């Protein structure tokens, strides 16, 4: 955990409307592995647009999508559903991020196809630990599903 | 007669003779035929012999010899059957001659023809003689057959004729005579039928005449007697009066009602005063209008007031003239009493009661019904029930009444969810509830409807519903508000905490201790704020979520809570005493644990300085409810603050103790959610006591949960 260099750097797509939170997450994730490539989008629409472009230009898809649940225009759950309904995108693991850990919200996330769930912590150390463990899972499995296919 | 039977007998004899003679004749013919067959066969052999002999005479010697050998074989004597010989003596004699001739035939030897020619010649001649002889015999047999046949036909024919004559003639004679007698009797029957028809018509005419003359008198005397017996045995008093009003006949019931010597008296004289006047008027009316009338009269009998329904009808002669009156008096004392009792019961009912006949006519009602619909008794009596129904519903009401009488069962009206309405005299319509009960009286169905004016209740209910909806809406808004607030308030906290942490951990800068302390204070306060928000969120969830209640073992629940507080208890050295047998609690376990947790941690928290916390937990059981009493010896709460302890964020001494001030609010919310009760009594400086009570349902319902 404290030795992130053993992990493969990741392409992470971040959806977060709160720019402060986005900045914190970007920095935290960058701290933990400077080679991580993180793209930030402010809402679901932008995420979908970005993914469409990536597909059109045949660029590599992100390894992981971190997504806030509460976003304007297109909420996290809507975006998640859209991703999971798209055959070209549905293999990408999506981790939902939220401020409150409401049980109902959590179950909705998993029913809609989320891979995991993270509560926005007050201390970003917790957050880093969570992402590290997640990243560890995807990193140590050496390949994300779309790379193996 | 005898002659006929003799004739039949002769016929039968002749028939038997036919059978016998035919049998015999056929036997004879049969024998001749077999003789003929025998002869024919012999003839054939003779012909062959002749042919062979001729051939032997002409042929070579060795052939001739061969032919001669065949001849002897050919003529080897065959004996006719005994049946053949029996045909007749003549035939047997002829046969014997033939046999002798054959035996005398010279037998040709196996010699050359020139030596044997003579013998052969002789043999041939012999054969020819035999042949002609045989021919004669056959002719003879044929003739015999012909004879036998003709004799058979002749005799049989005669016998059959005889038999037919003997049997057939008397039979046809008898048939003819039978036919004749049948025709004769038929004719006689027809004559009789015609006579009967005539007499029937006569009788019918007579009967009609009789009916026409005297309609009632046309009954036979037996029927008359039966009618008389019927009238006599009737429970009702039946009298007939003449035109002047004197009693002519009276049945047994009449005699016992109006006195044994009433016959011959004036009927009116049996009554007194006003009743007699009424009766006289009634008779006059009957005379004029030619129709029966009924009135109730009261008679005093053996110190009893008896009520009779008197029906007075005119008696008319065949020609239509009035000849008197009939009076039927029915004792209705008992039924009147019952009616009165029924009326009183209806009157005493708290609801409006209206009894309706099948045609929808109001036959009975109470004062409450008059009051409710605003009609007087005279206005209601005999009116149609539809008058009490709003005009727009009357049509449907008609069919409802009909439907009810088709299958009369006790039921509440207006099951179809549509609201029932009544209509007052003033035209005002109002909501009602109606119960229908079918009753049978005098072999007729009635319906008693019990009506309750529910317009007031309806208005109240509508108000209550509106209020309820308003409350629900407010509640929902409140919950949504709490949820949103706690969520949205957390977002900036996350930012503050995040940046503060990053600032504190910036690798390149080393802050002086004071700044580190300031940053730490920021973080501690952010944490406190988060706890507050979480509690608030928690509270809103308790209010929002549905309960899943079950029976919880109280001892186990307390143990679970004490486990989580273990560290705290050890630190403070608290003494906790628990009653040995606690009653089970019917509640959602997680919420029950939450309550206990909040109360116990409070009890451990608010202690008097320098004193160990002492907590005592006992069971509380009430009717349909069970719970705990949690008593501590802590700081207690001043009376002026006691009302506020259950409010959200209420903390009495924020400086001395940690906590958000939501704990008791959560307890209160949980208890309200369970429809239970929480109460508190406290004395400052002595201690505080909380009582929690969770209601439980009746035993039979618990098993379903």
């Amino acid at each position: 955990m404290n030795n992130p260099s053993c992990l493969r750097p990741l392409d992470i797509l971040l959806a977060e409307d709160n720019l402060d939170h986005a900045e914190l997450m970007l920095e935290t994730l960058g701290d933990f592995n400077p080679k991580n490539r993180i793209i930030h989008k402010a809402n679901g629409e932008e995420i979908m647009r970005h993914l469409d472009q990536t597909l059109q230009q045949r660029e590599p898809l992100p390894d992981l999508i971190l997504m806030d649940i509460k976003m304007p225009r297109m909420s996290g759950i809507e975006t998640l559903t859209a991703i999971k309904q798209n055959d070209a995108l549905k293999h990408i693991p999506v981790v939902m991020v939220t401020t409150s850990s409401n049980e109902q919200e959590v179950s909705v996330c998993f029913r809609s196809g989320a891979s995991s769930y993270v509560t926005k912590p007050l201390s970003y150390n917790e957050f880093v630990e969570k992402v590290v463990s997640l990243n560890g899972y995807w990193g140590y499995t050496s390949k994300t599903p779309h790379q193996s296919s | 007669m005898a002659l006929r039977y003799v004739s039949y007998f002769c016929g039968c004899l002749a028939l038997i003779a036919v059978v016998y003679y035919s049998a015999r004749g056929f036997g004879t013919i049969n024998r001749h035929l077999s003789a003929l067959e025998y002869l024919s066969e012999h003839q054939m052999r003779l012909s062959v012999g002749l042919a062979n002999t001729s051939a032997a005479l002409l042929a070579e010697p060795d052939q001739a010899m061969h032919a001669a050998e065949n001849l002897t074989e050919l003529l080897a004597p065959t004996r006719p059957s005994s049946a053949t010989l029996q045909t007749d003596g003549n035939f047997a004699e002829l046969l014997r001659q033939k046999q002798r001739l054959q035996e005398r035939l010279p037998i040709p030897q196996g010699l050359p023809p020139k030596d044997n020619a003579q013998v052969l010649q002789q043999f041939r001649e012999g054969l020819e003689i035999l042949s002609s002889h045989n021919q004669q015999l056959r002719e003879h047999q044929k003739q015999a057959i012909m004879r036998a046949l003709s004799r058979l036909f002749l005799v049989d024919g005669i016998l059959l004729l005889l038999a037919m004559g003997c049997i057939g003639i008397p039979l046809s004679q008898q048939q003819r005579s039978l036919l004749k007698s049948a025709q004769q009797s038929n004719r006689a029957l027809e004559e009789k039928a015609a006579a009967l028809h005539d007499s029937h018509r006569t009788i019918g005419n007579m009967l009609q005449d009789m009916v026409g003359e005297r309609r009632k008198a046309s009954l036979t005397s037996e029927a008359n007697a039966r009618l008389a017996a019927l009238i006599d045995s009737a429970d009702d008093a039946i009298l007939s009066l003449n035109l002047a009003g004197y009693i002519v006949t009276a049945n047994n019931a009449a005699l016992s009602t109006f006195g044994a010597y009433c016959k011959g008296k004036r009927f009116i004289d049996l009554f007194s005063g006003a009743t007699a006047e009424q009766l006289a008027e009634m008779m006059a009316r009957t005379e004029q209008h030619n129709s029966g009338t009924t009135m109730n009269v009261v008679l005093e009998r053996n110190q009893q007031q008896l009520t009779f329904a008197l029906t007075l009808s005119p008696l008319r002669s065949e020609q239509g003239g009035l000849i008197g009156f009939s009076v039927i008096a029915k004792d209705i004392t008992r039924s009147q009493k019952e009616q009165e009792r029924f009326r009183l019961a209806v009157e005493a009912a708290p609801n409006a009661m209206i009894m309706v006949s099948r045609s929808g006519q109001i036959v009975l009602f109470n004062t409450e019904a008059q009051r409710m619909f605003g009609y007087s008794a005279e206005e209601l009596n005999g009116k149609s029930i539809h008058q009490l129904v709003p005009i727009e519903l009357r049509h449907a009401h008609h069919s409802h009444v009909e439907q009810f009488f088709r299958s009369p069962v006790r039921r509440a009206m207006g099951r179809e969810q549509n609201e029932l309405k009544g209509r007052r005299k003033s035209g005002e319509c109002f909501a009602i509830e109606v119960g229908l009960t079918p009753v049978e009286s005098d072999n007729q169905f009635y319906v008693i409807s019990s009506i309750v004016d529910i317009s007031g209740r309806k208005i109240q209910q509508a108000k209550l519903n509106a209020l309820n909806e308003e409350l629900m809406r407010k509640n929902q808004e409140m919950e949504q508000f709490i949820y949103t607030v706690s969520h949205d308030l957390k977002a900036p906290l996350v930012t503050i905490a995040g940046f503060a942490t990053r600032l504190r951990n910036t690798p390149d800068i080393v802050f002086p201790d004071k700044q580190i302390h300031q940053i730490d204070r920021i973080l501690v306060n952010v944490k406190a704020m988060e706890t507050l928000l979480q509690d608030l969120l928690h509270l809103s969830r308790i209010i929002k979520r549905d309960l899943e209640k079950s029976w919880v073992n109280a001892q186990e629940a307390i143990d679970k809570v004490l486990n989580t507080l273990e560290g705290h208890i050890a630190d403070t050295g608290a003494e906790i005493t628990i009653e040995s047998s606690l009653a089970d609690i019917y509640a959602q376990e997680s919420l029950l644990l939450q309550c206990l947790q909040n109360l116990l941690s409070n009890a451990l928290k608010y202690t008097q300085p320098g004193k160990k916390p002492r907590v005592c937990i006992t069971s509380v059981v009430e009717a349909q409810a069970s719970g705990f009493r949690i008593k501590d010896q802590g700081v207690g709460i001043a009376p002026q603050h006691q009302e506020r302890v259950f409010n959200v964020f209420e903390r009495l001494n924020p400086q001395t103790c940690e906590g958000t001030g939501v704990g008791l609010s959560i307890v209160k919310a949980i208890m309200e959610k369970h429809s239970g009760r929480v109460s508190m009594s406290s004395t400052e400086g002595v201690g505080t006591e909380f009582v929690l009570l969770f209601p439980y349902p009746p035993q039979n319902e618990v098993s379903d949960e």
Side-chain angles (χ1 to χ4, degrees):
Chain A
M1 195 194 309
N2 292 327
N3 183 13
S5 57
C6 70
L7 299 174
R8 185 174 56 83
L10 294 173
D11 268 0
I12 298 176
L13 188 56
L14 174 66
E16 172 61 84
D17 60 316
N18 186 324
L19 296 182
D20 284 338
H21 291 189
E23 185 186 337
L24 276 167
M25 280 193 257
L26 284 169
E27 287 188 9
T28 314
L29 291 168
D31 283 353
F32 129 80
N33 189 346
K35 287 181 190 164
N36 281 348
R37 198 169 69 96
I38 306 157
I39 297 168
H40 168 237
K41 298 287 169 192
N43 59 49
E45 274 183 3
E46 284 183 28
I47 289 281
M48 291 314 290
R49 211 176 301 133
H50 172 79
L51 287 172
D52 283 344
Q53 271 177 12
T54 314
L55 281 175
Q56 272 174 16
Q57 293 164 10
R58 298 180 170 277
E59 285 171 15
L61 287 166
D63 297 317
L64 185 72
I65 298 176
L66 276 174
M67 188 150 57
D68 192 18
I69 288 182
K70 216 180 158 204
M71 289 188 294
R73 301 175 75 87
M74 191 170 174
S75 81
I77 302 288
E78 284 170 326
T79 318
L80 175 64
T81 312
I83 290 171
K84 291 301 165 187
Q85 277 169 359
N86 188 327
D87 284 339
L89 302 173
K90 65 180 177 192
H91 62 270
I92 307 174
V94 179
V95 177
M96 302 307 288
V97 185
T98 184
T99 357
S100 70
S101 53
N102 184 330
E103 277 172 39
Q104 275 176 336
E105 219 168 63
V106 176
S107 79
V108 170
C109 285
F110 283 118
R111 258 185 281 135
S112 311
S115 302
S116 186
Y117 180 94
V118 180
T119 311
K120 272 182 199 169
L122 287 179
S123 111
Y124 264 81
N125 293 333
E126 293 170 31
F127 180 67
V128 168
E129 281 164 19
K130 277 223 168 168
V131 177
V132 163
S133 69
L134 273 172
N135 188 35
Y137 174 73
W138 296 113
Y140 282 127
T141 49
S142 81
K143 276 179 180 175
T144 48
H146 82 281
Q147 283 173 325
S148 61
S149 61
Chain B
M1 201 66 168
L3 192 67
R4 205 166 68 223
Y5 285 122
V6 170
S7 170
Y8 285 155
F9 184 68
C10 291
C12 288
L13 274 183
L15 277 176
I16 293 166
V18 167
V19 173
Y20 170 73
Y21 200 79
S22 302
R24 257 194 60 191
F26 281 125
T28 314
I29 291 167
N30 196 30
R31 274 200 302 279
H32 285 304
L33 277 174
S34 63
L36 195 59
E37 194 182 349
Y38 167 76
L39 288 172
S40 301
E41 192 207 340
H42 206 81
Q43 183 69 38
M44 191 194 73
R45 290 181 184 214
L46 284 172
S47 312
V48 173
L50 266 173
N52 279 4
T53 319
S54 309
L57 278 171
L58 297 172
E60 294 299 314
D62 53 335
Q63 280 177 343
M65 215 157 81
H66 185 64
E69 278 168 17
N70 281 352
L71 275 179
T72 44
E73 256 174 63
L74 196 70
L75 295 178
T78 50
R79 285 199 60 77
S81 66
S82 58
T84 317
L85 292 175
Q86 279 170 15
T87 40
D88 53 31
N90 195 14
F91 180 65
E93 184 53 41
L94 284 170
L95 264 183
R96 269 193 297 277
Q97 282 178 17
K98 185 179 155 236
Q99 202 73 34
R100 277 198 296 275
L101 272 172
Q102 195 172 330
E103 277 161 11
R104 264 183 288 164
L105 265 179
I107 301 302
Q109 303 295 314
L111 298 171
K114 57 182 184 315
D115 302 324
N116 214 11
Q118 202 178 350
V119 181
L120 272 174
Q121 202 65 41
Q122 280 175 359
F123 185 69
R124 194 172 169 233
E125 281 164 9
L127 279 180
E128 272 172 2
I129 294 164
L130 260 178
S131 180
S132 68
H133 191 74
N134 210 10
Q135 206 68 33
Q136 277 175 14
L137 276 173
R138 283 178 63 192
E139 281 307 313
H140 179 78
Q141 283 303 323
K142 276 181 193 166
Q143 280 168 9
I145 288 169
M146 288 308 291
R147 259 199 319 276
L149 268 176
S150 51
R151 202 164 48 229
L152 188 65
F153 280 126
L154 190 67
V155 174
D156 277 3
I158 292 166
L159 280 171
L160 274 173
L161 272 176
L162 189 66
M164 270 169 64
C166 284
I167 297 171
I169 293 167
L171 259 180
S172 67
Q173 261 178 353
Q174 196 185 357
Q175 204 175 2
R176 208 171 308 135
S177 71
L178 268 173
L179 203 68
K180 202 183 284 171
S181 69
Q183 280 171 344
Q184 273 172 353
S185 66
N186 250 358
R187 205 168 307 135
L189 272 175
E190 272 168 22
E191 278 164 14
K192 272 183 192 163
L196 258 178
H197 194 70
D198 278 353
S199 65
H200 268 171
R201 201 177 310 149
T202 319
I203 291 172
N205 286 344
M206 280 164 71
L207 275 173
Q208 266 178 349
D209 289 350
M210 283 163 81
V211 169
E213 281 165 20
R214 299 179 298 155
R215 234 169 31 211
K216 279 172 191 167
S218 71
L219 294 164
T220 60
S221 63
E222 192 190 352
N224 256 337
R226 217 178 270 168
L227 183 67
L230 192 74
I231 291 173
D232 248 359
S233 64
D235 286 340
D236 300 339
I238 302 172
L239 307 144
S240 69
L241 314 179
N242 62 12
L243 265 178
Y246 286 90
I247 296 169
V248 181
T249 51
N251 71 349
N252 285 340
L255 292 179
S256 69
T257 308
F258 299 109
Y261 305 106
C262 67
K263 260 196 218 174
K265 288 184 184 167
R266 258 181 81 187
F267 183 61
I268 296 176
D269 293 344
L270 298 172
F271 303 90
S272 56
T275 317
E277 276 172 33
Q278 279 180 330
L279 268 176
E281 194 191 319
M282 192 167 142
M283 282 172 82
R285 215 166 47 229
T286 309
E287 222 174 317
Q288 273 177 12
H289 297 292
N290 191 24
S291 61
T293 43
T294 303
M295 71 175 277
N296 288 359
V297 295
V298 178
L299 259 183
E300 196 153 322
R301 290 261 122 208
N302 312 327
Q303 281 94 40
Q304 273 189 321
Q305 296 262 324
L306 298 178
T307 311
F308 287 90
L310 279 188
T311 306
L312 192 72
S313 316
L315 284 179
R316 296 199 167 273
S317 67
E318 285 309 319
Q319 283 74 33
L322 190 70
I323 54 167
F325 302 96
S326 76
V327 176
I328 300 172
K330 191 180 177 73
D331 185 350
I332 55 167
T333 313
R334 179 181 289 181
S335 72
Q336 265 216 329
K337 270 186 188 160
E338 279 171 5
Q339 243 174 23
E340 181 60 16
R341 247 180 256 144
F342 179 64
R343 203 187 58 75
L344 283 174
V346 166
E347 187 60 45
N351 303 338
M353 305 283 274
I354 297 179
M355 186 160 146
V356 175
S357 72
R358 199 174 186 126
S359 60
Q361 201 181 31
I362 298 173
V363 294
L364 188 72
F365 50 87
N366 62 1
T367 322
E368 177 60 22
Q370 292 174 38
R371 197 195 58 74
M372 185 180 287
F373 289 95
Y375 287 96
S376 68
E378 293 75 34
E379 284 171 318
L380 270 186
N381 203 2
K383 288 282 157 55
S384 163
I385 185 72
H386 305 301
Q387 196 180 333
L388 305 181
V389 177
I391 296 159
E392 65 270 20
L393 299 178
R394 276 182 198 169
H395 184 71
H397 191 253
H398 267 289
S399 61
H400 281 158
V401 171
E402 270 172 35
Q403 225 169 29
F404 181 82
F405 277 111
R406 235 174 281 141
S407 56
V409 279
R410 187 197 180 102
R411 66 182 174 97
M413 220 165 125
R415 282 265 181 76
E416 308 81 13
Q417 301 253 313
N418 46 5
E419 286 182 1
L420 288 175
K421 285 209 167 136
R423 185 174 188 268
R424 293 192 224 275
K425 193 184 176 187
S426 60
E428 179 200 349
C429 293
F430 60 109
I432 51 172
E433 251 177 27
V434 182
L436 299 178
T437 312
V439 287
E440 202 186 339
S441 170
D442 305 336
N443 295 326
Q444 258 203 305
F445 269 112
Y446 294 93
V447 56
I448 297 179
S449 34
S450 163
I451 305 160
V452 186
D453 182 347
I454 56 164
S455 49
R457 203 203 296 171
K458 280 269 167 190
I459 293 167
Q460 289 298 324
Q461 205 165 0
K463 275 187 192 164
L464 207 67
N465 283 349
L467 262 174
N468 245 344
E469 266 170 44
E470 174 75 10
L471 258 176
M472 295 252 285
R473 207 167 42 75
K474 282 260 162 73
N475 241 345
Q476 271 175 351
E477 273 174 21
M478 188 66 192
E479 281 161 25
Q480 188 56 40
F481 175 73
I482 292 178
Y483 181 77
T484 317
V485 161
S486 56
H487 186 274
D488 289 358
L489 287 183
K490 202 183 162 191
L493 278 183
V494 168
T495 316
I496 296 169
F499 281 116
T501 314
R502 286 194 70 74
L503 189 63
R504 194 183 186 282
N505 299 343
T506 315
D508 311 329
I509 308 168
V510 180
F511 285 108
D513 282 354
K514 190 168 181 196
Q515 269 70 32
I516 291 283
H517 168 77
Q518 284 167 352
I519 294 175
D520 282 349
R521 285 319 297 165
I522 293 177
L523 288 174
V524 165
N525 276 287
V526 166
K527 186 81 198 159
M529 183 82 180
E530 198 209 6
T531 319
L532 248 169
L533 288 178
Q534 259 168 4
D535 281 356
L536 204 57
L537 209 56
H538 188 63
L539 188 63
S540 87
R541 278 182 202 151
I542 288 171
I543 295 168
K544 243 193 324 201
R545 213 168 290 164
D546 292 331
L547 281 181
E548 288 166 16
K549 290 192 263 189
S550 61
W551 283 103
V552 182
N553 184 311
Q555 184 66 51
E556 283 173 17
I558 290 173
D559 287 345
K560 277 181 197 169
V561 173
L562 291 183
N563 275 342
T564 65
L565 295 171
E566 209 169 24
H568 208 73
I569 293 169
D571 290 347
T572 54
E575 271 179 39
I576 295 173
T577 49
I578 302 166
E579 192 185 354
S580 57
S581 59
L582 294 166
D584 285 356
I585 311 289
Y586 190 65
Q588 175 166 341
E589 190 180 10
S590 60
L591 295 182
L592 173 64
L593 293 181
Q594 177 88 63
C595 278
L596 287 173
Q597 173 100 30
N598 290 6
L599 290 178
L600 285 175
S601 63
N602 272 358
L604 295 176
K605 210 184 293 171
Y606 301 106
T607 51
Q608 298 192 20
K611 262 195 174 180
K612 279 185 188 173
R614 282 167 188 264
V615 184
C616 177
I617 304 173
T618 50
S619 216
V620 182
V621 178
E622 276 188 13
Q624 298 294 310
S626 58
F628 301 106
R629 184 191 310 276
I630 299 170
K631 194 175 179 181
D632 65 39
Q633 297 178 1
V635 288
I637 303 161
Q640 67 268 30
H641 300 311
Q642 287 186 1
E643 275 185 19
R644 287 164 31 215
V645 289
F646 290 110
N647 293 353
V648 187
F649 298 134
E650 200 70 59
R651 293 173 69 208
L652 300 180
N653 28 14
Q655 281 73 40
T656 49
C657 297
E658 70 225 45
T660 58
V662 182
L664 283 180
S665 303
I666 288 178
V667 171
K668 190 178 162 212
I670 289 173
M671 294 317 292
E672 277 172 4
K673 191 84 188 170
H674 281 84
S675 315
R677 225 166 58 220
V678 52
S679 60
M680 185 209 69
S681 60
S682 180
T683 313
E684 203 171 10
V686 178
T688 310
E689 179 186 288
F690 284 94
V691 173
L692 300 179
L693 269 172
F694 293 84
Y696 56 81
Q699 284 304 316
N700 49 354
E701 282 177 37
V702 175
S703 55
D704 298 340
E705 304 261 342

